């Protein structure tokens, strides 16, 4: 009789959306971008991704063994982190850079705070910020697709900002949409990323609140504050260039680090868009997606606090005169 009833803490609502299934869906959604990166940057992009994923999984396994915790590498979360770390580095970096990035993401950002669901910022983005601060030359050496060992080139956002390759011609919007431009491994093809995003939406792993509010905010602000006066901005280059689509669909929507309420998710997206636009237009760096998401990750608890609906029957009792 005593074994027929189990007392557990909430929540008690059962759901078919388990961590393993959600993470596997994200892995599947990232495959089109990995294929595109391999096509445009060669087999080296695939090898860097394999190294990054292997390091992430191995790091998580070793830490859990050493700390006598449950082994969780079969939930695919470390695989997702490893893929995203690789997607955020240029295809020309030495092999050890994504390895260091994945180790930092798992060991420092994820496991030091208790493992999956307890990290307060996105591990892959924190790793990118760490790598960028530690090895800025390697992390900002771009190359044209098909010329990994050849001449380096500037990204479209750097050309647009005028910080690199002054006088260089911007690529066509079609080239940016397909992915025939310089950039990191995972952000080069908007088409491949949108295919993966469509899969996540179909599987209901994510919704459109954060991605749409993020992308629309960047588009509107970069259009209004153009280089030649108001309403002269080339907003499509800001949308298709850099890591906006990768960040909006695959990293700003990270469950542990994004708001849970619908209004909070819209606020998160708008905040990311505002910060990205400010950095791109008036900052010293042509990209701003990573830092904007990391900053909004840190204010997520505050957003949830003020957008969480009140429970019926609670709150202040109004006195009747």
């Amino acid at each position: 009789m005593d074994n027929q009833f189990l007392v557990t803490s909430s929540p008690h609502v059962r759901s078919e959306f388990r961590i393993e299934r959600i993470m596997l869906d994200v892995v599947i959604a990232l495959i089109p971008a990995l294929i595109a990166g391999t096509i445009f940057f060669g087999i080296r992009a695939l090898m860097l991704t394999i190294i990054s994923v292997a390091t992430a999984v191995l790091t998580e396994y070793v830490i859990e063994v050493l700390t006598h915790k449950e082994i969780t590498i079969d939930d695919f979360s470390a695989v997702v982190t490893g893929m995203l770390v690789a997607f955020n580095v240029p295809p020309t970096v030495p092999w050890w850079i994504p390895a260091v990035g994945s180790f930092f993401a798992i060991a420092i950002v994820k496991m030091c705070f208790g493992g999956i669901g307890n990290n307060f910022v996105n591990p892959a983005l924190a790793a990118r910020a760490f790598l960028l601060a530690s090895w800025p030359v390697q992390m900002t050496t771009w190359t044209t697709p098909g010329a990994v060992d050849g001449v380096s080139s500037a990204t479209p956002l750097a050309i647009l900002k005028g910080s690199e390759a002054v006088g260089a011609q911007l690529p066509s919007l079609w080239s940016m949409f397909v992915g025939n431009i310089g950039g990191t491994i995972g952000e080069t093809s908007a088409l491949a990323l949108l295919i993966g995003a469509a899969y996540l939406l179909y599987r209901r792993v994510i919704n459109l609140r954060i991605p749409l509010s993020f992308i629309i905010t960047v588009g509107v602000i970069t259009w209004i504050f153009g280089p030649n006066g108001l309403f002269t901005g080339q907003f499509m280059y800001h949308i298709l260039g850099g890591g906006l689509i990768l960040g909006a669909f695959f990293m700003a929507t990270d469950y542990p680090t994004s708001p849970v309420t619908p209004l909070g998710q819209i606020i998160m997206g708008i905040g990311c868009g505002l910060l990205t636009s400010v950095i791109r237009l008036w900052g010293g760096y042509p990209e701003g997606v990573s830092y904007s998401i990391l900053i909004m990750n840190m204010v997520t608890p505050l957003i949830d606090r003020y957008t969480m609906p009140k429970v019926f029957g609670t709150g202040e009792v109004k006195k009747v005169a």
Side-chain angles (χ1 to χ4, degrees):
M1 186 67 179
D2 293 339
N3 296 328
Q4 294 182 7
F5 301 98
L6 295 175
V7 179
T8 61
S9 60
S10 60
H12 301 290
V13 179
R14 297 182 64 86
S15 171
E16 62 177 350
F17 293 98
R18 301 182 61 82
I19 292 175
E20 296 86 350
R21 182 65 237 188
I22 292 172
M23 292 295 107
L24 180 59
D25 281 334
V26 177
V27 171
I28 294 171
L30 289 172
I31 288 177
L34 176 59
I35 294 173
T38 304
I39 292 173
F40 288 113
F41 296 120
I43 195 67
R44 181 180 177 79
L46 178 62
M47 295 305 297
L48 291 175
T49 305
I50 292 174
I51 291 172
S52 183
V53 170
T55 305
V57 174
L58 182 62
T59 301
E60 184 166 308
Y61 176 77
V62 170
I63 291 176
E64 288 174 339
V65 169
L66 293 177
T67 56
H68 306 290
K69 290 186 176 179
E70 180 186 359
I71 305 300
T72 59
I73 58 173
D74 57 350
D75 64 10
F76 295 101
S77 61
V79 177
V80 171
T81 299
M83 292 182 75
L84 289 175
V85 169
F87 281 16
N88 278 281
V89 301
T92 54
V93 295
W95 66 268
W96 51 267
I97 281 195
V100 172
S102 286
F103 175 82
F104 181 86
I106 297 295
I108 305 300
V109 185
K110 182 179 178 181
M111 301 307 291
C112 278
F113 291 91
I116 186 170
N118 295 299
N119 49 289
F120 68 98
V121 295
N122 186 291
L125 286 179
R128 175 173 178 163
F130 170 72
L131 294 174
L132 194 58
S134 302
W135 298 281
V137 175
Q138 291 88 340
M139 286 293 292
T140 55
T141 299
W142 314 108
T143 186
T144 303
V148 173
D149 296 325
V151 179
S152 62
S153 65
T155 63
L157 290 181
I159 297 173
L160 199 63
K161 194 176 183 65
S163 58
E164 299 175 22
V166 177
Q169 292 293 320
L170 283 168
S172 67
L173 288 176
W174 176 250
S175 293
M176 296 184 67
F177 179 70
V178 174
N180 191 27
I181 56 173
T184 67
I185 294 173
E187 71 186 23
T188 185
S189 175
L191 173 61
L193 290 169
L194 290 175
I195 291 173
Y199 174 77
L200 291 182
L201 290 168
Y202 170 74
R203 291 285 302 166
R204 294 190 297 171
V205 174
I206 64 172
N207 61 61
L208 285 172
R209 295 187 191 98
I210 292 177
L212 269 190
S213 54
F214 192 167
I215 293 171
I216 290 174
T217 301
V218 171
V220 170
I221 294 178
T222 55
W223 172 57
I224 293 176
F225 298 100
N228 301 315
L230 294 178
F231 307 105
T232 62
Q234 302 186 67
F235 65 92
M236 285 304 299
Y237 281 93
H238 282 279
I239 291 176
L240 296 177
L244 180 57
I245 295 179
L246 176 64
F249 284 101
F250 292 94
M251 291 186 279
T253 54
D254 181 33
Y255 285 1
T257 58
S258 61
V260 297
T261 64
L263 177 59
Q265 291 169 353
I266 294 173
I267 293 173
M268 168 88 176
I270 293 174
C272 288
L274 284 171
L275 292 170
T276 298
S277 302
V278 168
I279 294 172
R280 286 185 176 184
L281 294 176
W282 299 290
Y285 191 56
E287 178 60 287
V289 170
S290 300
Y291 293 108
S292 70
I293 297 175
L294 287 173
I295 292 171
M296 293 306 295
N297 285 163
M298 289 185 279
V299 299
T300 289
L302 192 63
I303 295 173
D304 274 337
R305 177 180 178 182
Y306 287 102
T307 59
M308 190 70 70
K310 292 183 179 178
V311 178
F312 181 75
T314 64
E316 184 180 355
V317 178
K318 294 183 179 179
K319 295 182 179 179
V320 180

